[in-house]
Amino acid sequence: MRLALSGSMAFSQLRPETRDALNAMCHSKSYRAGQTVIHAQEKCDFIGCVQSGIFRIQRTLADGREHIVGLLVEGDTFGRAFDGAAEFSIEAATDAEICAFPRAEFEALLTRSPDLERAVMLAITNELDRAREWLIILSNQKIAGRIAGFLLLMCSRFRDIDHILQPGPQGIEVKIPISRADLAHLLGTRPESISRSLHSLNDQRVIDILEPNRILIRDTKALARVADEDEIEALATLQDLLKNHRPAH
């Protein structure tokens, strides 16, 4: 199977022999929406790389509520090499497929392959950067601001996944790849609040609601203002998007 690591920026510079070794140990696993891949506090015996679909990273709180702290998409990796149990559970938000590397084999390859070691370090750094981005988005007191930040981050992080983003003359069409309930969990609010905020942005002509899960972003600068322009424009992943995109007329 095609190795999704080759499409990940952190893993794009692997030597051919390292990539061949990863391909040799890789085996495919498929999950239906709602299936759990790894439980929190479970020591997983493989390192995973997302081939297709969306996974949610989540934790169940003491009162039974589930809190989604992030999403994994094509090219993202997960699992703890040389470490203990997982801190969070990982669950398929959609039908999805991963490439699984046996943990012991992956660790052995990691110890003798400096290029893979560097790639893993870059992946960890990217993950930390994404966590900081989410903190900025979630710090917004207004639900509309959180939604605006989420849509902008989708335009940067998911830009290479063509079934999620589709730029066009009228703006950037975004297909929200998770359910409204999952989005509400992710943004720390209720599904009804998500709907009200989206319709408010639609009324302001910042976005068009094409379908419940399809949004046309007409003006990224206006969306950035809703999301707190100063904070959003400081994110390196969004600077090119906000600089180059022009609103539709």
Side-chain angles (χ1 to χ4, degrees), residues 11-74:
F11 291 88
S12 61
Q13 301 301 315
L14 289 177
R15 295 178 301 171
E17 55 267 36
T18 303
R19 189 173 290 113
D20 288 345
L22 288 170
N23 272 313
M25 71 174 74
C26 168
H27 60 279
S28 175
K29 289 189 174 187
S30 297
Y31 296 89
R32 303 291 292 175
Q35 274 191 282
T36 299
V37 182
I38 301 173
H39 292 276
Q41 306 309 315
E42 175 185 11
K43 189 171 182 179
C44 186
D45 61 359
F46 65 88
I47 305 296
C49 176
V50 181
Q51 292 285 309
S52 64
I54 309 289
F55 293 87
R56 48 184 173 243
I57 308 169
Q58 61 188 37
R59 171 173 283 171
T60 302
L61 305 180
D63 60 5
R65 288 180 297 128
E66 292 182 344
H67 184 52
I68 299 175
V69 299
L71 300 175
L72 296 170
V73 299
E74 183 180 321

Side-chain angles (χ1 to χ4, degrees), residues 10-217:
F11 291 88
S12 61
Q13 301 301 315
L14 289 177
R15 295 178 301 171
E17 55 267 36
T18 303
R19 189 173 290 113
D20 288 345
L22 288 170
N23 272 313
M25 71 174 74
C26 168
H27 60 279
S28 175
K29 289 189 174 187
S30 297
Y31 296 89
R32 303 291 292 175
Q35 274 191 282
T36 299
V37 182
I38 301 173
H39 292 276
Q41 306 309 315
E42 175 185 11
K43 189 171 182 179
C44 186
D45 61 359
F46 65 88
I47 305 296
C49 176
V50 181
Q51 292 285 309
S52 64
I54 309 289
F55 293 87
R56 48 184 173 243
I57 308 169
Q58 61 188 37
R59 171 173 283 171
T60 302
L61 305 180
D63 60 5
R65 288 180 297 128
E66 292 182 344
H67 184 52
I68 299 175
V69 299
L71 300 175
L72 296 170
V73 299
E74 183 180 321
D76 286 342
T77 58
F78 61 89
R80 301 173 71 94
F82 305 112
D83 204 348
E87 291 293 327
F88 301 93
S89 61
I90 295 177
E91 185 176 285
T94 66
D95 290 350
E97 185 178 19
I98 69 168
C99 180
F101 307 99
R103 180 171 169 172
E105 292 181 45
F106 186 89
E107 290 173 346
L109 180 62
L110 189 59
T111 60
R112 64 177 188 269
S113 303
D115 58 327
L116 181 58
E117 182 180 34
R118 178 179 180 276
V120 169
M121 289 300 298
L122 282 174
I124 292 171
T125 301
N126 291 339
E127 185 178 344
L128 288 172
D129 287 343
R130 289 199 297 266
R132 295 186 184 103
E133 291 172 348
W134 278 119
L135 286 175
I136 290 174
I137 298 304
L138 295 176
S139 67
N140 196 308
Q141 296 298 309
K142 296 180 178 180
I143 303 305
R146 298 180 203 172
I147 293 171
F150 170 75
L151 290 173
L152 288 170
L153 285 180
M154 285 192 68
C155 289
S156 61
R157 189 178 171 212
F158 296 173
R159 62 180 178 270
D160 296 325
I161 305 178
D162 57 11
H163 63 276
I164 290 180
L165 294 182
Q166 187 63 54
Q170 297 302 313
I172 304 172
E173 185 178 318
V174 178
K175 180 178 180 182
I176 299 176
I178 55 176
S179 69
R180 189 63 58 87
D182 279 348
L183 182 58
H185 279 304
L186 184 64
L187 298 180
T189 186
R190 298 171 181 269
E192 313 87 76
S193 298
I194 297 283
S195 295
R196 283 195 296 269
S197 296
L198 285 172
H199 280 92
S200 175
L201 291 172
N202 184 88
D203 292 343
Q204 297 170 51
R205 302 295 290 162
V206 176
I207 66 171
D208 286 342
I209 301 175
L210 306 178
E211 294 177 1
N213 68 335
R214 286 176 58 236
I215 306 296
L216 178 69
I217 300 174

